[in-house]
Amino acid sequence: MTLRFDIPAVPDLHDAALAACLQHKIDQKTKPLGSLGRLEALALQLGLILGSETPELRAPQMLVCAGDHGLAARGVSAFPSDVTWQMVENFLAGGACVSVLARQHGIALSVVDCGVRHDFAPRENLLNFKVAPGTADALSGPAMTVEQCAQALNNGLRIVQGLPGNALLLGEMGIGNTSAASLLLARLGGLDIADCTGAGTGLDVAAVVRKTEVLREVLLKHPQAQAPLDALAAFGGFEIATLAGAVLQAAAERRVIVVDGFIASAAVLVAARLAPAVLQRCVFAHRSGERGHALLLAQLQAQPLLDLGLRLGEGSGAALAWPLLVSACAVLREMASFESAGVSEKST
Amino acid sequence: MTLRFDIPAVPDLHDAALAACLQHKIDQKTKPLGSLGRLEALALQLGLILGSETPELRAPQMLVCAGDHGLAARGVSAFPSDVTWQMVENFLAGGACVSVLARQHGIALSVVDCGVRHDFAPRENLLNFKVAPGTADALSGPAMTVEQCAQALNNGLRIVQGLPGNALLLGEMGIGNTSAASLLLARLGGLDIADCTGAGTGLDVAAVVRKTEVLREVLLKHPQAQAPLDALAAFGGFEIATLAGAVLQAAAERRVIVVDGFIASAAVLVAARLAPAVLQRCVFAHRSGERGHALLLAQLQAQPLLDLGLRLGEGSGAALAWPLLVSACAVLREMASFESAGVSEKST
């Protein structure tokens, strides 16, 4: 049975003329050449994504995709699965970290029930795209059927089609989802699962060893799941598949994609294996403290903006990095040039 | 002749009860223990500085202190001295990087003429605390007389006394001032000047070698300038001395001090040698791309928030890091606890 999912077209953003224009504009700003470091590369990237010498970020959307994992019953997480739905309530009530940060920065927050094992009362900002109440146990069979995987991916496309603005921030919640991310990294990156597996929400050393052994067994259970979507279906979860779809659609629409930590990066890994040019649209917010994220970033050849030892997920790192993107655009739009400000240039 | 400057009293902030309260509060937030990484340490520090379990940053003030350097005539900078006053005009007109970023974050910006070689027309947001039109050439004699040095330090105290709010961001402008900062670091840190000297606004390798040789001669010229204020007077500049005074006063008033890059850190080095407890109030915004800054941060045992290869100065790095401080306070004030949100705690 083949997975029915049409990958959106994600064209290459290469535009040598615009890139040269942007670089010249950055170099003419009243500052020593290159002195804004990484912020200059970010300004160039944002200009290219938004196709403008004066890029402006509008109506940023934080999408917190939530789902449960059958594998959680195998003791791979320090927290019980009920925390997934409890945190969804916390996001909606405004008390979670990502809620606080989204409020600070004027980022609209939508929570997506991609497959939480709980019945939610309808609420503003809660999008119901539940595929099933949690994935199946990946140690017994595939986490998702191919139909479920296609449904979650297509949900991601549809969700983004309905969102305003030109920037998407990726967030997630799902007890057990570092396991799914580690499995995807190990399989798609061809890496040893031990190098990809970390403490998640706070396992001790012995528990990480047990988690690693469970994940090693899961990989052995699915030797045929080598292609990106086969691996995604085998390992889950619904929130990662929905995010992967959202990334593809956002990229196709030329939105700026702000990638959070380990789980969000795993969704990007899947999307990038299907359409490599999505990476041109991705700004990597931070290097997570979760073991495996550095390797995952290396797979994506990504340079994250922040390195603060965050390992919370939810989109919290993406929200923390957000003002840097706003700054990069503001520098392009508002800073004076040597000429306009009447400032002398470097003596040579 | 002794320098007449009364160091403000900067008491130790140690408060074990408040620290324990803050840590407990942070640990009870709905997130895995420690999962906000450096942001948690920042929240704790801000709570201790502001003496509150619910710290709130009010009316942040960016102080851009400007001054010229006699040593600039020795070819230690890639830009001519006129750029100092031209950039002051750019700050005031709103076109400089720090102007753009301060506007983005609602940070009030004051530019201080500490000793620029130019006569400015009076302007709103331009504070006239000019000691002299530029320091003397440190290769011929001391950059400042002891009276001038005391005057600049006292200016720093007075400026901060007149500012509202509870947070001070340190910015500066002065062609030649990486030389002064390198000299202060080498002398007060007991380091080789070659390790402390970098490209500044953009010298090439050969020019950095020449700059290093000039600075080595300056150090030899002032063997007696070993104490912090003696070194400050010998090497300058007016903006660094004014900033050092501002840091001491802000620390005495228990304001949060946001330290920008190499020059601002050199001012903090002088202040910390006079009153070590100022460091408890300092948040180091970023590790600059300027050679010497990593060593200077090590002298101060400082862990900066950002590492983006910035080397612009002006306070631009402090402004870029500012939203992280706002986030740390918001997390303390607004995030729910496991109990208040009804979220299950870690299984043990």
Side-chain angles (χ1 to χ4, degrees):
Chain A
M1 174 118 205
T2 309
L3 194 147
R4 284 167 305 181
F5 173 65
D6 294 325
I7 300 165
V10 181
D12 191 274
L13 280 186
H14 186 70
D15 179 341
L18 178 58
C21 260
L22 281 161
Q23 192 60 57
H24 179 74
K25 195 167 171 183
I26 291 166
D27 291 346
Q28 287 302 307
K29 299 291 185 186
T30 48
K31 58 171 186 56
L33 199 69
S35 63
L36 279 175
R38 296 282 315 286
L39 206 69
E40 299 192 12
L42 180 59
L44 181 64
Q45 184 190 6
L46 295 174
L48 287 170
I49 298 171
L50 298 176
S52 169
E53 284 181 63
T54 54
E56 187 156 11
L57 296 160
R58 289 178 293 100
Q61 304 291 315
M62 170 70 75
L63 212 56
V64 182
C65 290
D68 273 307
H69 292 255
L71 200 65
R74 303 279 182 179
V76 292
S77 175
F79 282 82
S81 275
D82 275 346
V83 167
T84 304
W85 74 258
Q86 291 166 351
M87 285 302 295
V88 166
E89 292 289 350
N90 197 21
F91 298 141
L92 294 169
C97 185
V98 73
S99 321
V100 171
L101 298 176
R103 207 154 54 222
Q104 178 189 346
H105 296 307
I107 301 166
L109 189 153
S110 301
V111 185
V112 188
D113 176 3
C114 303
V116 180
R117 192 151 52 199
H118 183 79
D119 291 322
F120 294 103
R123 232 82 52 83
E124 202 185 358
N125 302 328
L126 174 62
L127 309 181
N128 182 6
F129 285 87
K130 192 198 290 278
V131 177
T135 56
D137 178 1
L139 200 50
S140 306
M144 314 183 223
T145 65
V146 287
E147 292 82 2
Q148 287 178 327
C149 185
Q151 187 183 344
L153 286 159
N154 283 312
N155 285 346
L157 304 193
R158 283 172 54 205
I159 292 165
V160 169
Q161 284 163 1
L163 291 176
N166 61 10
L168 181 74
L169 294 88
L170 309 181
E172 45 60 46
M173 178 70 220
I175 294 301
N177 68 7
T178 58
S179 289
S182 296
L183 289 163
L184 287 166
L185 172 59
R187 179 55 53 86
L188 300 181
L191 300 168
D192 189 315
I193 189 65
D195 296 328
C196 305
T197 306
T201 48
L203 295 175
D204 62 23
V205 173
V208 173
V209 171
R210 287 194 299 273
K211 175 181 176 181
T212 307
E213 289 319 306
V214 170
L215 300 190
R216 200 182 295 282
E217 282 183 63
V218 172
L219 288 169
L220 290 171
K221 173 86 187 171
H222 302 282
Q224 82 299 346
Q226 298 290 336
L229 292 183
D230 293 333
L232 181 60
F235 307 135
F238 293 130
E239 78 281 36
I240 296 177
T242 306
L243 279 172
V247 165
L248 288 164
Q249 182 64 28
E253 295 181 13
R254 219 165 153 155
R255 297 185 195 230
V256 174
I257 299 164
V258 188
V259 185
D260 189 39
F262 188 51
I263 320 298
S265 300
V268 169
L269 177 64
V270 172
R273 291 295 167 92
L274 301 175
V278 300
L279 292 177
Q280 298 172 335
R281 282 79 164 171
C282 288
V283 175
F284 289 83
H286 74 112
R287 175 179 290 112
S288 166
E290 172 69 9
R291 183 176 172 88
H293 196 221
L295 277 172
L296 181 39
L297 290 169
Q299 285 282 324
L300 299 167
Q301 298 184 283
Q303 292 273 332
L305 291 170
L306 301 175
D307 192 357
L308 296 170
L310 309 171
R311 49 182 176 78
L312 172 54
E314 299 183 0
S316 54
L320 284 166
W322 175 252
L324 294 173
L325 280 75
V326 178
S327 294
C329 289
V331 159
L332 264 176
R333 285 201 318 278
E334 302 178 25
M335 259 185 83
S337 68
F338 283 103
E339 192 178 25
S340 74
V343 173
S344 307
E345 297 203 45
K346 187 175 168 181
S347 350
T348 44
Chain B
M1 175 115 204
T2 310
L3 193 148
R4 283 166 307 178
F5 172 65
D6 295 324
I7 301 165
V10 181
D12 190 275
L13 279 187
H14 186 69
D15 180 340
L18 178 57
C21 261
L22 282 161
Q23 192 59 57
H24 179 74
K25 196 168 172 182
I26 292 165
D27 291 346
Q28 287 302 308
K29 298 292 187 186
T30 46
K31 56 169 186 56
L33 199 70
S35 63
L36 279 175
R38 296 282 317 285
L39 207 68
E40 298 193 13
L42 180 59
L44 180 65
Q45 183 190 8
L46 295 174
L48 287 170
I49 298 170
L50 298 177
S52 169
E53 283 179 63
T54 54
E56 189 156 12
L57 296 159
R58 289 179 294 99
Q61 303 291 314
M62 169 70 76
L63 212 57
V64 182
C65 290
D68 273 309
H69 292 255
L71 200 64
R74 303 281 181 175
V76 290
S77 176
F79 282 82
S81 276
D82 275 346
V83 168
T84 304
W85 73 259
Q86 291 166 348
M87 284 301 295
V88 166
E89 293 289 350
N90 198 19
F91 298 139
L92 294 169
C97 185
V98 73
S99 320
V100 171
L101 298 177
R103 208 155 53 223
Q104 178 189 347
H105 296 308
I107 300 167
L109 189 152
S110 301
V111 185
V112 188
D113 177 3
C114 304
V116 180
R117 195 151 52 202
H118 184 78
D119 291 321
F120 294 102
R123 231 85 48 83
E124 200 186 359
N125 303 330
L126 174 61
L127 309 181
N128 180 7
F129 284 87
K130 194 196 287 279
V131 177
T135 56
D137 177 2
L139 200 49
S140 306
M144 314 182 222
T145 66
V146 289
E147 291 83 0
Q148 287 177 325
C149 186
Q151 187 184 343
L153 286 160
N154 282 311
N155 285 347
L157 305 193
R158 282 172 54 205
I159 292 164
V160 170
Q161 285 162 1
L163 291 177
N166 61 10
L168 182 73
L169 294 88
L170 308 181
E172 45 59 47
M173 178 70 218
I175 295 300
N177 68 9
T178 58
S179 290
S182 296
L183 290 162
L184 287 166
L185 172 58
R187 179 56 54 86
L188 299 181
L191 300 167
D192 189 315
I193 189 66
D195 296 326
C196 306
T197 306
T201 49
L203 296 175
D204 62 22
V205 173
V208 173
V209 171
R210 289 194 298 274
K211 175 182 176 181
T212 307
E213 290 318 306
V214 171
L215 300 190
R216 201 182 294 283
E217 282 184 63
V218 173
L219 287 169
L220 291 171
K221 173 85 185 172
H222 303 282
Q224 82 300 344
Q226 298 290 338
L229 292 183
D230 293 334
L232 181 61
F235 307 132
F238 293 131
E239 78 281 37
I240 296 177
T242 305
L243 278 172
V247 165
L248 288 164
Q249 182 64 28
E253 295 181 12
R254 219 163 153 158
R255 297 185 195 231
V256 174
I257 301 163
V258 189
V259 185
D260 189 38
F262 189 51
I263 320 300
S265 299
V268 169
L269 177 64
V270 172
R273 290 296 168 94
L274 301 175
V278 300
L279 292 178
Q280 298 172 335
R281 281 80 164 172
C282 288
V283 175
F284 290 84
H286 73 113
R287 175 178 291 110
S288 165
E290 171 69 8
R291 184 176 171 84
H293 195 221
L295 276 172
L296 181 38
L297 290 170
Q299 285 282 323
L300 299 168
Q301 297 183 284
Q303 292 272 332
L305 291 171
L306 302 175
D307 192 357
L308 295 170
L310 309 170
R311 50 183 175 77
L312 171 54
E314 299 182 0
S316 55
L320 284 167
W322 175 252
L324 294 174
L325 281 74
V326 178
S327 294
C329 288
V331 159
L332 264 177
R333 283 201 320 277
E334 300 178 25
M335 258 185 85
S337 67
F338 283 101
E339 193 179 25
S340 74
V343 173
S344 306
E345 296 204 45
K346 186 174 168 181
S347 347
T348 45

